[in-house]
Amino acid sequence: MTNIAIFVSGSGTNCENIIRHFTDSKNVKIALVLSNRSDAYALVRAEKYNIPTVILPKTDFYKEDQLLGLMQTYAIDFIVLAGFLLMIPDFLIHAYNRRMVNLHPALLPKFGGKGMYGHHVHEAVKAAGETETGMTVHWVSSICDGGEIIAQYRTPINPEDTPDDIAAKEHILEQKYFPKVIEQVLQSLNSPT
C-alpha cells in the first residue's frame, strides 16, 4: 500500500478528485491532507471522505522535525502538491526525491516560477497571446516549477477567451488527467526493474 499526502492551500477540487479516484484502490491510500491555511475548503472536502487533515501554518511547515515527523506519523510514501502555495523546503525535497509531484496550470517552462500560481498564470497566458494552454505535472525540485516534467496536456484557446475562460479550459484537463498521471507514476515506481 502506498500512502499519499496531498498538500493544498485552497478550495481543493483537485484534492477531492484525487481522493475519489483512489477511493476503491487496493494499492493506494490517501492517508493525509495537509494545508497551510485553516480556511482551505480542501480540508472540508477531505473530512467528507474521512481523510485525516492537518493544518500546518507557514511557520511550522519549515520546521524539519515537525514536518518530517508528521510524514512519519502518517507513514507517507508519496506527496502530491495540488494547489499548494508554499515553497517546499529542501529537507522535504531530499526526503521525498522523485516521490513528490506538483501540478502547474500552464505548459512549463512558460509561465512558471515565483508568483505564478492560480489566476496569475491564466492572466499571463492571455497577455502573451498564446494559442494554447495546458497543465504540467512535474517532479518537485528546489527550483520553483523547475523539476523534470512528467506529463503535459494541452487545450486550444481563442483570442476572445478571458483569463476565466482559459482557467476553465485548463481545469477540465486537471480533472481529467491529474489523478491518472499520479496513478501512472506510482505504478512505475512500484514496478520491478
Side-chain angles (χ1 to χ4, degrees):
M1 182 66 73
T2 300
N3 287 334
I4 293 182
I6 304 174
F7 289 13
V8 292
S9 295
S11 72
T13 54
N14 279 309
C15 176
E16 184 170 5
N17 194 32
I18 294 163
I19 291 168
R20 279 198 316 261
H21 182 83
F22 290 109
T23 293
D24 297 323
S25 174
K26 292 173 178 36
N27 305 314
V28 177
K29 175 184 174 188
I30 308 302
L32 175 66
V33 171
L34 179 146
S35 183
N36 60 306
R37 297 176 48 151
S38 61
D39 63 346
Y41 192 71
L43 299 169
V44 175
R45 293 178 192 270
E47 288 165 359
K48 187 170 69 174
Y49 293 90
N50 298 312
I51 307 293
T53 60
V54 170
I55 300 160
L56 202 61
K58 185 176 184 177
T59 50
D60 295 333
F61 184 74
Y62 292 105
K63 294 177 181 169
E64 185 170 354
D65 291 348
Q66 195 159 348
L67 184 54
L68 290 181
L70 194 59
M71 296 300 99
Q72 197 168 30
T73 297
Y74 287 92
I76 299 304
D77 303 302
F78 194 85
I79 299 171
V80 174
L81 308 182
F84 189 67
L85 300 183
L86 296 182
M87 286 295 296
I88 303 301
D90 284 340
F91 66 79
L92 190 66
I93 292 168
H94 293 304
Y96 285 87
N97 182 41
R98 293 187 81 81
R99 292 187 295 133
M100 183 171 15
V101 297
N102 182 45
L103 169 68
H104 187 74
L107 296 169
L108 292 175
K110 289 183 178 182
F111 312 110
K114 191 170 170 42
M116 290 305 261
Y117 61 90
H119 217 64
H120 302 289
V121 173
H122 306 302
E123 289 168 355
V125 168
K126 172 68 177 173
E130 295 289 317
T131 57
E132 66 177 2
T133 192
M135 61 168 272
T136 302
V137 180
H138 65 91
W139 294 111
V140 176
S141 74
S142 56
I143 300 165
C144 183
D145 297 325
E148 181 187 341
I149 292 170
I150 298 166
Q152 290 185 311
Y153 296 91
R154 301 167 185 270
T155 186
I157 51 178
N158 304 313
E160 62 274 10
D161 283 345
T162 66
D164 285 342
D165 296 331
I166 293 168
K169 288 180 176 183
E170 189 275 330
H171 190 66
I172 289 168
L173 296 178
E174 294 178 0
Q175 293 288 291
K176 182 174 181 182
Y177 293 112
F178 194 27
K180 293 177 186 175
V181 172
I182 295 165
E183 188 169 32
Q184 290 164 358
V185 167
L186 292 174
Q187 285 170 349
S188 69
L189 289 176
N190 294 324
S191 65
T193 52

